[in-house]
Amino acid sequence: MSAGSISYNPDGTLNRSKTKNTLGPHSKIATQAAFYAKVKYGAKISVGSMSGHAANNALQIAMETCDADVLHLYNDPSFAGADTIGTAEVLKKGVEKMEGQMERKMDIVFSGHRATDGETGQTGPQIAWKLGLTFLGNVISYDVDLEKRTVTAKRLLNLRGVPEIIQEIEAPLPVFIAIDPSYKYHFNTVSLRLSAEKYKKEAHEKSQNYQKYIQTFNREGLGAEKTLIGLVGSPTIVYNVQRVPKGKAIRNAKVLDGSNPEHIQQTVTAIKEALSAMVIK
Amino acid sequence: MEKYDVAIIGGGSSGLAALKQLSNLGKQAIVLEAGDKIGSKNISGGILYSKKPKKGKVTNVEDLYNNFLEDAPYERKITRYILHSTSKDKIYSMDLTAAHDYQSNFGCTVLMNKLNFWFAKQATEASHKFGGGIIPGVHVKSITWNDEGRAIIQTDELDAFEVKAIIAADGVNSEIAEMVGARSKFNPTQLYQGVKVIIKLPEKIINERFEISSGEGAAHLFAGDVTLNHIGGGFLYTNHDTLSIGAVYHFDSLLKNPIEPYTLIDALLNNPMVSELIKDTVPITKEPDKSLPQEEQLKTRFDIAKLIKDWNDVRGYYFTSECEDPDGVKARLDSLEEQMTEKFGITFGIKHVESEYGAKLIPDGKRCRMEKPFFKNILFVGDAAGRGIFIGPRIEGLNVGIDDGVLAANAVARALDKNDFSESYLGEYYSQLVDESPYTVDMKQIDKDYLKIFLDAAKDVPSDIIGSRYGPIMKMMSSNTFRGIAIKFANILGYDKLLPMIETEDTYVKVPIQLAERLGKIVSTSYFPKTTLIGDRISKLSYNDDHISHIKLLDTANEFMKKIPLLCPAKCYAEENGKIILQYEGCLDCGTCSQKTEWRHPRGEKGVHYNYG
């Protein structure tokens, strides 16, 4: 069974081995955000991916994008059929594994805005919750104060009926950042640009034999509990997939004549009304 | 403020040569390139020469990049160089291979996008050792100087920074030259406008049609009726598996007799000889059955697209010299064709396949090279310094730019050693190096040996065709006894006075037409190319549009701006109700309109990106 590019097993779980394996666009933006920390603050980067594929193309793209130091692949038959919380458990264990290897806690954990195969956007917050990290969602830019050990971030908020709001916040490290799709890093000095170019070159070379950098962990290797992962650990069952029905046009169009001054007056009034409705009082 | 030793503005072949040379000399330099990827903003006609002048020394591409001949992605080494005079279906061809080989190690066809990318790779590796490198996506906005004479560079993208010296390699429309007042904009009498299309053709078909082997290349030049009465001509160069076909005309000749630049390309494509050379077999698809459900139609389109892609790949491979199992590949190709025909009713027809359209202005070094190519601690190189060589069929630019880049790098390295960046120590020294360069000498003086080769090639041309205008000169030039005297006299006169006599409609239009009519052979073709609309040509290019225009209109009520809708190679201009309007999206950054507008290069990463160049 399949809808769009998403495949399902007969039991209604996602068939991830048939769903096309690549780095999702949102995850790619998360790796770009991590690359920013590498260039600007000399961060070490570990990338983790739960996947049914042994040869993991997603991790290659991740390597090319962020010049990672470590690539983790979490692969075990028992991970299959996981919903968001089952996935979050595996990835939490993955982060803890990375921390064990580095012998220190993570400062920032990045996730994408949402997955493109599951489309729910819950995995990030759930990992943050499981790790006990401060969760910052919809982040469009961030910077770290290394001395104060804080992060300042801009968040893009979309509230119904209100134009886009950018909220600026400061939080103590460590944090979990779910990166907004509109994130784009910007290096504003020659030295940062030069080191970005150097890391990009290194990333490209490393991505050519990315397999060398992959460490694969199964359930046992991660020390994940059977009851919290995979199908067993997943309360969600997909029993039906439907297209979002097309909404009926609710536009109230009116044909106006540009050469008629009265019509122009009407248009101006209408625009004024629309604008005044948009002002937050 | 961050401080660096040297900034090179512009990542074309000249700027990259400067970076490579400075790195070879152990100096720190950074290249600022406006394109998002090195090479994406570069376009050239397509031949890079390596020269061995009788007197003096030049740095050739293979001197600077030692692995050039083994590793660089150049296209083909030119082995045939032919000038064609055209009149309708008649063509008179003159073999100028000897003129091409004159003082040359080799001349190879190139596509700047991939070649500059390769240059950049070599230069970057060297530059990293000394804390330099290449920064793409950066557009320089202004340059000022502090009290110590250090240059402060402001860009649209980065914080300001300080450098000791600058090498300006920002091309024919050098904003640096204009903003600091080093020179005024080049005017139409000093410029050529070039437009070019890249046409796809499999490697072995090129070999067969041009009678060359896989490593060899042919260069064809055209004059006569294909010029549509303009001073200049057409060219056709063979690349590995594409052809570069272009039209290069003197800007003031275009101004006198305005014509849409792309019609000059079309005139060339429609010449029967060219038509025969560019045609290829292409699949012709039928529209899917409209009565089928939309999803079904979409699926059919995808299937067709995939089959055609496979067919193109397999066919391309079949016609390469690397194809090891021609019979096996041919069988696959046949089966693909069978599937295409049987499943989807695809037929095969004859067409030419245009992959890319582009344009640029080219400086005529005889008329516009900077006498003093420096300003304070800025040195100008290549096109930015106006250094293109156009002497009859001798057309060079890339090699001159590379040599300039190396000379500028040497001068800057010397200044760094003495920590003296004054005009007298840096600028004057560089200016002297450039002055002594054999390329500069060639731009100033007529070389009688080169002329002899050219005249020998033209020995069958009846003297009455040459016309009364320069009959006596030609007679003298053709005589071994008098040539020396004639050239001495000509050099006393100087290029300034001679050029108006040589670069005329007679030379580029009338004489070639007469030659073709009287001596030419009839060439017939079965293929009559359909004109590609300019809109279609532009829509194939990739753009990253800026939300603000890089061109600002000034007064449009002048003769130049009235002609601009015809002169702009991208048709960005139109006249509406007597007013000139501009749509800057779709601009090729060529600078044709910069004469009478406020013109800037697009900001970093913005504007057109060429894939071939």
Side-chain angles (χ1 to χ4, degrees):
Chain A
M1 180 164 61
S2 84
S5 59
I6 305 172
S7 296
Y8 300 91
N9 295 320
D11 62 357
T13 55
L14 270 176
N15 183 342
R16 287 181 197 271
S17 61
K18 272 201 182 153
T19 303
K20 203 179 157 200
N21 169 247
T22 178
L23 186 65
H26 296 295
S27 307
K28 187 168 177 182
I29 297 167
T31 56
Q32 283 165 348
F35 184 66
Y36 179 75
K38 175 157 195 143
V39 174
K40 194 146 185 197
Y41 308 111
K44 293 259 178 289
I45 302 177
S46 303
V47 177
S49 166
M50 183 182 97
S51 169
H53 295 261
N56 197 300
N57 190 239
L59 283 173
Q60 181 176 23
I61 302 168
M63 177 59 99
E64 170 108 47
T65 319
C66 72
D67 192 21
D69 300 279
V70 175
L71 297 177
H72 274 191
L73 176 65
Y74 311 126
N75 180 293
D76 194 297
S78 66
F79 297 162
D83 68 357
T84 55
I85 204 153
T87 308
E89 179 62 22
V90 172
L91 293 176
K92 177 197 91 171
K93 284 288 176 193
V95 172
E96 286 173 355
K97 192 85 202 166
M98 293 168 184
E99 290 179 332
Q101 288 176 334
M102 289 191 307
E103 294 176 357
R104 59 160 297 174
K105 290 279 177 193
M106 285 285 171
D107 288 320
I108 308 177
V109 180
F110 291 98
S111 80
H113 183 59
R114 57 179 163 78
T116 40
D117 56 356
E119 306 254 348
T120 60
Q122 294 163 6
T123 310
Q126 285 168 354
I127 305 169
W129 169 67
K130 278 173 181 279
L131 287 167
L133 295 176
T134 310
F135 178 78
L136 311 177
N138 299 84
V139 169
I140 54 169
S141 78
Y142 74 93
D143 270 298
V144 179
D145 187 326
L146 293 175
E147 269 179 27
K148 274 165 68 190
R149 288 195 51 79
T150 57
V151 58
T152 48
K154 285 185 181 153
R155 304 177 59 217
L156 183 70
L157 304 183
N158 280 299
L159 303 175
R160 188 165 289 207
V162 181
E164 284 177 347
I165 291 176
I166 293 173
Q167 184 190 51
E168 204 171 323
I169 50 167
E170 188 176 353
L173 291 172
V175 293
F176 188 105
I177 291 179
I179 209 81
D180 191 82
S182 64
Y183 174 85
K184 199 179 173 214
Y185 57 66
H186 177 66
F187 300 113
N188 62 340
T189 65
V190 171
S191 55
L192 285 174
R193 288 294 303 271
L194 283 175
S195 53
E197 292 302 320
K198 245 190 238 179
Y199 283 130
K200 276 184 197 169
K201 193 172 155 249
E202 189 180 278
H204 179 72
E205 280 156 15
K206 274 157 82 178
S207 73
Q208 298 307 302
N209 40 49
Y210 69 104
Q211 267 137 335
K212 212 175 88 185
Y213 299 88
I214 294 183
Q215 304 171 21
T216 308
F217 297 94
N218 57 14
R219 188 190 63 78
E220 254 171 52
L222 283 181
E225 261 198 57
K226 264 185 196 166
T227 51
L228 296 176
I229 57 157
L231 191 57
V232 190
S234 298
T236 318
I237 298 289
V238 180
Y239 76 95
N240 192 6
V241 177
Q242 282 184 348
R243 277 166 198 276
V244 179
K246 258 193 192 166
K248 270 189 189 163
I250 46 159
R251 229 159 32 121
N252 213 348
K254 202 170 170 186
V255 179
L256 295 169
D257 175 8
S259 61
N260 183 335
E262 206 178 295
H263 284 189
I264 291 175
Q265 188 54 48
Q266 282 176 19
T267 314
V268 173
T269 316
I271 292 172
K272 268 189 186 163
E273 273 171 20
L275 282 175
S276 66
M278 284 162 78
V279 175
I280 315 159
K281 294 196 177 110
Chain B
M1 190 179 291
E2 292 192 348
K3 292 177 184 178
Y4 294 87
D5 283 347
V6 189
I8 300 162
I9 301 170
S13 44
S14 187
L16 293 170
L19 177 67
K20 179 71 167 52
Q21 179 69 0
L22 277 166
S23 308
N24 285 352
L25 298 171
K27 307 296 180 197
Q28 178 197 54
I30 49 170
V31 165
L32 305 172
E33 159 62 29
D36 67 337
K37 190 183 139 207
I38 286 279
S40 66
K41 289 278 179 192
N42 302 124
I43 180 164
S44 89
I47 299 182
L48 167 59
Y49 286 93
S50 165
K51 308 285 286 188
K52 43 178 178 194
K54 277 177 301 194
K55 272 188 210 154
K57 204 193 154 304
V58 294
T59 303
N60 285 312
V61 64
E62 77 277 17
D63 304 327
L64 187 61
Y65 306 95
N66 295 326
N67 53 341
F68 177 83
L69 287 168
E70 298 79 46
D71 300 337
Y74 65 85
E75 300 294 315
R76 290 168 182 258
K77 273 193 183 167
I78 305 243
T79 48
R80 306 187 68 197
Y81 198 76
I82 298 164
L83 172 65
H84 304 281
S85 296
T86 67
S87 177
K88 293 184 190 116
D89 60 347
K90 283 183 137 182
I91 293 174
Y92 176 72
S93 307
M94 243 188 261
D95 192 327
L96 292 181
T97 310
H100 166 88
D101 289 343
Y102 178 67
Q103 295 186 5
S104 283
N105 298 312
F106 61 84
C108 54
T109 48
V110 294
L111 293 166
M112 285 330 283
N113 189 302
K114 59 178 161 182
L115 187 63
N116 270 342
F117 192 74
W118 185 85
F119 285 154
K121 210 176 148 208
Q122 318 302 312
T124 312
E125 263 164 39
S127 68
H128 277 176
K129 284 180 228 151
F130 307 102
I134 299 172
I135 308 179
V138 174
H139 173 242
V140 174
K141 192 160 64 172
S142 81
I143 295 171
T144 50
W145 285 268
N146 66 13
D147 295 342
E148 291 125 54
R150 301 287 194 243
I152 313 291
I153 299 182
Q154 302 252 7
T155 67
D156 286 321
E157 294 79 14
L158 306 174
D159 294 351
F161 60 99
E162 187 188 303
V163 294
K164 295 173 182 164
I166 293 174
I167 295 175
D170 57 336
V172 62
N173 304 300
S174 174
E175 276 176 68
I176 306 300
E178 212 194 321
M179 74 173 70
V180 302
R183 64 162 168 84
S184 49
K185 281 177 187 173
F186 295 138
N187 65 51
T189 64
Q190 300 173 318
L191 291 167
Y192 289 87
Q193 185 198 57
V195 284
K196 182 172 100 163
V197 288
I198 300 288
I199 288 179
K200 271 196 175 168
L201 203 59
E203 179 188 341
K204 280 190 178 163
I205 297 184
I206 293 181
N207 296 354
E208 199 184 299
R209 276 194 202 155
F210 290 85
E211 295 166 18
I212 47 183
S213 70
S214 277
E216 298 174 335
H220 293 233
L221 301 180
F222 298 85
D225 68 346
V226 294
T227 65
L228 306 179
N229 297 319
H230 294 85
I231 295 172
F235 65 83
L236 189 167
Y237 302 150
T238 55
N239 300 320
H240 179 64
D241 55 4
T242 54
L243 304 174
S244 291
I245 299 185
V248 179
Y249 291 93
H250 228 287
F251 197 171
D252 58 347
S253 160
L254 291 168
L255 261 178
K256 265 180 215 144
N257 178 8
I259 187 162
E260 287 153 330
Y262 30 91
T263 53
L264 289 160
I265 289 225
D266 296 333
L268 198 59
L269 298 179
N270 280 295
N271 177 277
M273 183 179 140
V274 178
S275 303
E276 272 300 300
L277 290 171
I278 59 173
K279 68 180 186 185
D280 197 12
T281 307
V282 294
I284 298 165
T285 55
K286 280 201 308 203
E287 278 293 297
D289 187 350
K290 291 267 190 249
S291 63
L292 289 170
Q294 272 202 345
E295 277 181 26
E296 199 68 19
Q297 285 183 41
L298 202 64
K299 196 178 167 298
T300 310
R301 275 182 212 275
F302 279 140
D303 289 346
I304 290 177
K306 194 175 172 300
L307 258 181
I308 290 181
K309 192 184 171 291
D310 287 350
W311 178 82
N312 264 323
D313 290 350
V314 174
R315 182 168 178 268
Y317 179 65
Y318 175 66
F319 282 114
T320 58
S321 47
E322 284 118 47
C323 180
E324 278 169 5
D325 171 26
D327 294 339
V329 179
K330 182 77 175 60
R332 248 195 90 200
L333 193 64
D334 289 343
S335 106
L336 272 173
E337 286 179 6
E338 207 179 289
Q339 269 187 61
M340 288 159 85
T341 314
E342 284 181 6
K343 264 196 189 162
F344 301 106
I346 295 172
T347 52
F348 291 87
I350 299 292
K351 266 188 185 171
H352 68 285
V353 185
E354 272 187 29
S355 292
E356 186 172 274
Y357 171 76
K360 102 182 263 309
L361 292 182
I362 308 152
D364 181 354
K366 305 188 295 292
R367 294 178 164 100
C368 71
R369 70 178 185 286
M370 287 170 81
E371 294 286 335
K372 298 259 172 211
F374 65 88
F375 183 86
K376 291 192 177 174
N377 51 356
I378 307 177
L379 309 181
F380 294 86
V381 295
D383 276 8
R387 293 173 52 77
I389 300 182
F390 280 85
I391 302 165
R394 183 175 167 198
I395 306 161
E396 293 168 28
L398 294 169
N399 51 329
V400 186
I402 289 171
D403 188 49
D404 282 0
V406 171
L407 296 180
N410 291 343
V412 167
R414 175 176 168 268
L416 281 166
D417 288 341
K418 209 182 163 212
N419 198 27
D420 184 348
F421 306 93
S422 61
E423 288 200 339
S424 56
Y425 193 75
L426 172 61
E428 293 286 356
Y429 177 70
Y430 168 63
S431 189
Q432 188 195 332
L433 293 180
V434 168
D435 242 16
E436 288 163 2
S437 153
Y439 292 136
T440 312
V441 175
D442 288 345
M443 283 180 237
K444 285 199 274 198
Q445 283 176 16
I446 298 165
D447 177 345
K448 67 177 194 312
D449 296 329
Y450 178 71
L451 197 70
K452 180 178 184 310
I453 291 174
F454 188 56
L455 293 170
D456 285 349
K459 66 182 183 303
D460 297 334
V461 177
S463 57
D464 65 299
I465 288 187
I466 307 270
S468 57
R469 194 152 176 191
Y470 33 68
I473 305 177
M474 288 302 281
K475 251 187 202 155
M476 273 178 89
M477 296 276 188
S478 306
S479 141
N480 279 330
T481 334
F482 291 116
R483 190 180 311 115
I485 302 164
I487 291 202
K488 259 185 206 154
F489 178 64
N491 277 329
I492 292 167
L493 269 180
Y495 262 139
D496 293 351
K497 298 205 177 64
L498 273 177
L499 286 177
M501 290 161 72
I502 304 164
E503 292 188 344
T504 61
E505 267 183 42
D506 285 348
T507 314
Y508 290 90
V509 188
K510 289 180 189 158
V511 169
I513 287 178
Q514 277 190 40
L515 263 177
E517 276 169 7
R518 287 207 3 217
L519 306 175
K521 281 189 196 142
I522 291 181
V523 177
S524 62
T525 180
S526 53
Y527 173 57
F528 301 94
K530 215 176 123 216
T531 305
T532 313
L533 299 173
I534 182 63
D536 293 339
R537 282 177 169 148
I538 296 296
S539 68
K540 270 193 194 157
L541 293 164
S542 44
Y543 284 94
N544 177 2
D545 288 331
D546 201 346
H547 61 276
I548 46 173
S549 173
H550 59 291
I551 303 169
K552 282 199 188 108
L553 292 183
L554 304 169
D555 174 26
T556 57
N558 55 58
E559 281 309 302
F560 182 89
M561 288 308 284
K562 272 184 200 153
K563 289 173 185 169
I564 204 71
L566 277 172
L567 296 172
C568 170
K571 212 173 172 52
C572 288
Y573 287 89
E575 197 195 308
E576 239 177 59
N577 305 325
K579 267 193 175 168
I580 299 297
I581 54 165
L582 161 70
Q583 190 192 350
Y584 69 92
E585 297 96 338
C587 173
L588 298 169
D589 311 348
C590 71
T592 298
C593 63
S594 69
Q595 295 289 320
K596 298 279 178 192
T597 57
E598 198 185 309
W599 195 98
R600 297 267 172 272
H601 289 99
R603 296 191 296 173
E605 301 183 8
K606 304 292 182 192
V608 68
H609 306 298
Y610 290 120
N611 288 318
Y612 292 87

